[in-house]
Amino acid sequence: MDWGTELWFEVLERHTQWGLDLLDRYVKFVKERTDVEQAYAKQLRGLVKKYLPKRLAKDDPESKFSQQQSFVQLLQEVNDFAGQRELVAENLSVRVCLELAKYSQEMKQERKMHFQDGRRAQQQLESGFKQLENSKRKFERDCREAEKAAQNAERLDQDINATKADVEKAKQHAHLRGHMAEESKNEYAAQLQRFNRDQAHFYFSQMPQIFDKLQDMDERRATRLGAGYGLLSEAELQVVPIIAKCLEGMKAAADAVDAKNDSQVLIELHKSGFARPGDVEFEDFSQPMNRVPSDSSLGTPSEGRPELRGPGRSRAKRWPFSKKNKTVATEDFSHLPPEQQRKRLQQQLEERNRELQKEVDQREALRKMKDVYEKTPQMGDPASLEPRITETLSNIERLKLEVQKYEAWLVEAESRVLSNRGDSLSRPPRPPDPPASAPPDSSGGSSNSGSQDNRESSEEPPSEEGQDTPIYTEFDEDFEEPASPIGQCVAIYHFEGSSEGTISMVEGEDLSLMEEDKGDGWTRVRRKQGGEGYVPTSYLRVTPS
């Protein structure tokens, strides 16, 4: 059974229009669905950006706590999840909205063409029917005129008063009318035969073919619409594995919280190095006081009477929860507790050593460039490098003095830490600390030999470790230092960098973070084997430095 033999024009017109309207409604539904997904992803990204730490991990001491690290990882997984919602919206927009909207327009044009063919055929049939009616009415009129002319000729023939000429004229007129009626009869018969043939072709061949084409068009539309329904679930199924990884990452972040380790990290970060206060001595006021004239002098304690202000000197150290006065920062960090002072001085000393090494490398590069200019004058004027060489030498002298200054302060700070540790030996031993998870150089139990090693190493030229040594060439005119990484990260997904400015990476690859995401979803990284470019931010996980 098909439409050509079972249905009629009005039903097909109404049904095909309903099918196209349904297709347009589904496209509109998917478009609004993509708007919801994009708004959801945008709100998630805004939420993540709001709660992400503003400072870099290396500058934020709170980033050393597992709680903070887990929270940052949780935010990154939520950001990755938002990226997958954006991917769903993009797939639906391209594969459903755009393609089905284009297909709907094609179906509308095809439907319009088929109905135009049907209406054209029907108009031709109606025109043939009108011609048939006209020939029929003409035949009827000619027959009446012929019969009327024949009766008039017969009446004149029987009339004795009629002349012969009148009778002959009436007979000729009757004969002419009869001949015209016969011609109209033949024309009407031919027109009737032609209309019946056209009508049979219209109802049994032409219209069924058009209706069958409409049926085929509607079935193709329904099939394509069903496939569009399936794309809605396929877009979700494509991101399910990555969303599952995001959820696993959130679970791993929750399991990574280590309260004991965070307690130890807090100790390592803020270890004071202060010695515990001794016992308060008993002051015996029952002994007689032999006053002498000097006893009345202010600030001079008597021999038989202990000074009353002695215990009050350590009051600030004795009461840990007392209100602290605001301290003024000093260059040697003496306002900090001994252990914190030692750490800050070590950091400053390492920074000065790195700067000193950079200046030394700069000086060597300038000297090489000067030698090249002297040997090849067309490449440049050697005298033009003198100001830069002089400035570099001045910087080297300044940094050497600063290194010596910080080394002296560090020696004093280490001796202060050791003296406080020696004072605490007379006190009962405190309970053992949990196993240290921080680097050994941050603990307070380093020996005197270890500090001596640090002093000796600080006097030697800085090691290659941690130096951002620029690579100079003899023909580098600007002497610009290559960009230094601002952190490290790991690729959590594979990415194929096919467009300009991007770079490929494989899952699990360690990368150097060169530039943070500026809000466009891209981060610039550098691979260990060389090459630098942009990758999606949601494909990375920043590792603690």
Side-chain angles (χ1 to χ4, degrees), residues 148-165:
K148 183 178 179 181
Q151 291 177 356
N152 186 34
E154 184 178 356
R155 182 176 59 79
L156 289 176
D157 186 37
Q158 294 176 0
D159 189 0
I160 57 175
N161 296 323
T163 63
K164 185 176 181 180

Side-chain angles (χ1 to χ4, degrees), residues 319-374:
W319 312 121
F321 299 103
S322 61
K323 185 177 180 180
K324 301 295 188 299
N325 295 326
K326 186 176 181 180
T327 57
V328 180
T330 58
E331 188 179 3
D332 61 352
F333 304 106
S334 58
H335 63 285
L336 297 176
E339 187 67 30
Q340 298 301 316
Q341 181 189 14
R342 184 181 66 83
K343 289 182 179 180
R344 294 296 297 273
L345 288 173
Q346 284 180 343
Q347 293 175 359
Q348 292 295 324
L349 185 58
E350 291 173 359
E351 290 179 4
R352 296 304 187 278
N353 283 328
R354 284 196 294 267
E355 293 177 6
L356 179 59
Q357 185 61 41
K358 288 182 181 179
E359 294 295 334
V360 171
D361 293 337
Q362 179 82 349
R363 180 190 62 188
E364 295 300 325
L366 289 172
R367 286 178 177 175
K368 291 180 179 179
M369 184 61 67
K370 183 178 179 181
D371 293 340
V372 172
Y373 285 176
E374 291 175 349

Side-chain angles (χ1 to χ4, degrees), residues 107-397:
M107 289 292 99
K108 289 178 181 179
Q109 292 296 328
E110 183 177 353
R111 174 180 179 274
K112 180 179 179 181
M113 180 186 67
H114 293 324
F115 280 107
Q116 284 179 346
D117 293 342
R119 290 189 178 92
R120 191 179 301 110
Q122 184 172 339
Q123 288 175 358
Q124 292 176 355
L125 184 64
E126 290 176 355
S127 177
F129 183 74
K130 289 180 180 179
Q131 293 177 0
L132 176 63
E133 288 294 321
N134 291 334
S135 62
K136 178 181 177 182
R137 285 194 294 270
K138 181 180 179 182
F139 172 57
E140 181 181 5
R141 185 175 59 254
D142 290 343
C143 286
R144 286 198 300 268
E145 291 295 333
E147 183 179 0
K148 183 178 179 181
Q151 291 177 356
N152 186 34
E154 184 178 356
R155 182 176 59 79
L156 289 176
D157 186 37
Q158 294 176 0
D159 189 0
I160 57 175
N161 296 323
T163 63
K164 185 176 181 180
D166 292 337
V167 173
E168 287 296 327
K169 183 177 179 180
K171 287 182 179 182
Q172 289 179 0
H173 182 69
H175 178 72
L176 178 62
R177 287 295 180 180
H179 180 69
M180 293 177 61
E182 188 66 25
E183 288 182 352
S184 298
K185 178 181 178 181
N186 294 334
E187 182 181 355
Y188 170 63
Q191 191 69 31
L192 179 63
Q193 185 179 6
R194 187 183 306 111
F195 174 76
N196 288 334
R197 184 179 66 251
D198 293 343
Q199 180 176 254
H201 175 69
F202 176 80
Y203 285 106
F204 291 95
S205 177
Q206 197 171 13
M207 291 307 295
Q209 289 179 1
I210 294 175
F211 291 169
D212 288 343
K213 291 179 181 178
L214 288 171
Q215 179 180 359
D216 177 69
M217 181 203 73
D218 192 74
E219 290 175 355
R220 284 188 283 112
R221 177 202 56 79
T223 303
R224 186 66 178 272
L225 182 59
Y229 293 161
L231 291 176
L232 202 63
S233 60
E234 288 180 10
E236 293 285 348
L237 291 175
Q238 286 179 355
V239 300
V240 164
I242 301 181
I243 290 180
K245 287 186 178 181
C246 294
L247 299 178
E248 291 174 2
M250 295 180 189
K251 181 65 170 58
D255 296 339
V257 176
D258 189 345
K260 292 292 184 182
N261 181 71
D262 286 353
S263 298
Q264 186 64 23
V265 168
L266 183 63
I267 294 173
E268 298 298 336
L269 284 176
H270 303 288
K271 184 186 299 182
S272 66
F274 284 130
R276 300 181 184 182
D279 294 336
V280 179
E281 297 180 357
F282 178 73
E283 301 181 39
D284 191 358
F285 295 98
S286 63
Q287 298 295 331
M289 295 181 293
N290 298 322
R291 294 182 177 273
V292 294
S294 62
D295 290 343
S296 61
S297 59
L298 294 176
T300 306
S302 62
E303 295 179 358
R305 177 184 178 185
E307 188 177 355
L308 297 178
R309 297 174 59 86
R313 293 177 180 176
S314 61
R315 181 178 180 183
K317 298 179 182 179
R318 187 179 299 280
W319 312 121
F321 299 103
S322 61
K323 185 177 180 180
K324 301 295 188 299
N325 295 326
K326 186 176 181 180
T327 57
V328 180
T330 58
E331 188 179 3
D332 61 352
F333 304 106
S334 58
H335 63 285
L336 297 176
E339 187 67 30
Q340 298 301 316
Q341 181 189 14
R342 184 181 66 83
K343 289 182 179 180
R344 294 296 297 273
L345 288 173
Q346 284 180 343
Q347 293 175 359
Q348 292 295 324
L349 185 58
E350 291 173 359
E351 290 179 4
R352 296 304 187 278
N353 283 328
R354 284 196 294 267
E355 293 177 6
L356 179 59
Q357 185 61 41
K358 288 182 181 179
E359 294 295 334
V360 171
D361 293 337
Q362 179 82 349
R363 180 190 62 188
E364 295 300 325
L366 289 172
R367 286 178 177 175
K368 291 180 179 179
M369 184 61 67
K370 183 178 179 181
D371 293 340
V372 172
Y373 285 176
E374 291 175 349
K375 295 177 182 179
T376 314
Q378 61 269 22
M379 295 188 64
D381 184 11
S384 64
L385 299 177
E386 288 298 333
R388 298 179 63 182
I389 295 177
T390 303
E391 181 183 358
T392 303
L393 292 175
S394 176
N395 292 338
I396 290 175
E397 293 300 324

